[in-house]
Amino acid sequence: MTRSSLTTPPPGVEVPVPQPGAPAPGAVLGSHYSQCFGCGTKHPTGLHLKARTPDGATVEAEFTVGEAHQGAPRLAHGGVLATAMDEVIGMSVYLLQKPYVTGRLETDYLLPVPVGTTLHLRAWCNGITGRKAYLEAEGRIGAPDGPVAVRAAALFIEVNMEHFAKHGDLAAIAAEHPDYEVNP
């Protein structure tokens, strides 16, 4: 993976341990929002990622490239693949039990991904310092141990729920996440 210094954790940063209340090993993770392009169940052309944590430290998901996800004829659009990487990384912050947003995403494309291919995605956190979380992901063709088609490294920034209320739709947040207290 080619990474910049912006997505590389500083020396000595600690890898996070499972947090109290975090999803247990084997748990299926919910979507961010029903209309989320990456994980929403109600988005008509979305990726519909369904993520789980096999061990409480990593997140896995699958994504099958559909007709609506093409760039070149019969091949996945690079932006859609970057979205899948961003989404599986974004799902992995559920394990940190704090809200984060993408600050930077770097993506390496190693193999073309044809329409109909299932990508097996995996994401993990390499460390946290202050409000910054350093994460990585990979997408493998056809099986969890298949050839790596895409890799990503990301810097995510911790925010509070007011961030989503200020810049998004407070009513939608409250309707889908009644467990979060938001004070705009």
Side-chain angles (χ1 to χ4, degrees), residues 6 8 25 35 78 98 110-111 122 129 139 142 152 162 164:
L6 298 173
T8 302
Q35 289 292 329
K98 296 178 181 176
L110 306 170
L111 294 171
R122 187 173 68 90
T129 181
E162 285 75 18
F164 301 103

Side-chain angles (χ1 to χ4, degrees), residues 81-102:
L81 297 177
T83 299
M85 295 288 96
D86 185 49
E87 190 64 24
V88 74
I89 290 171
M91 298 298 279
S92 73
V93 299
Y94 276 162
L95 305 177
L96 305 176
Q97 292 291 283
K98 296 178 181 176
Y100 284 82
V101 294
T102 310

Side-chain angles (χ1 to χ4, degrees), residues 33-78:
Y33 171 58
S34 64
Q35 289 292 329
C36 174
F37 182 77
C39 64
T41 57
K42 294 183 180 178
H43 196 291
T45 59
L47 306 184
H48 304 144
L49 292 185
K50 290 176 180 52
R52 66 198 160 283
T53 179
D55 54 12
T58 61
V59 169
E60 296 177 344
E62 289 85 34
F63 159 56
T64 300
V65 178
E67 297 289 329
H69 306 131
Q70 294 181 78
R74 306 294 304 157
L75 294 173
H77 189 287

Side-chain angles (χ1 to χ4, degrees), residues 92-142:
S92 73
V93 299
Y94 276 162
L95 305 177
L96 305 176
Q97 292 291 283
K98 296 178 181 176
Y100 284 82
V101 294
T102 310
R104 182 176 184 89
L105 178 70
E106 298 169 358
T107 309
D108 289 341
Y109 303 94
L110 306 170
L111 294 171
V113 181
V115 169
T117 298
T118 297
L119 274 181
H120 294 262
L121 310 171
R122 187 173 68 90
W124 60 93
C125 184
N126 292 323
I128 296 175
T129 181
R131 293 177 49 226
K132 296 178 180 180
Y134 299 88
L135 303 113
E136 286 189 54
E138 63 184 15
R140 293 178 175 264
I141 293 177

Side-chain angles (χ1 to χ4, degrees), residues 98-102 131 156-164 167:
K98 296 178 181 176
Y100 284 82
V101 294
T102 310
R131 293 177 49 226
F156 270 47
I157 308 298
E158 181 184 344
V159 296
N160 56 36
M161 289 305 291
E162 285 75 18
H163 168 88
F164 301 103
H167 301 289

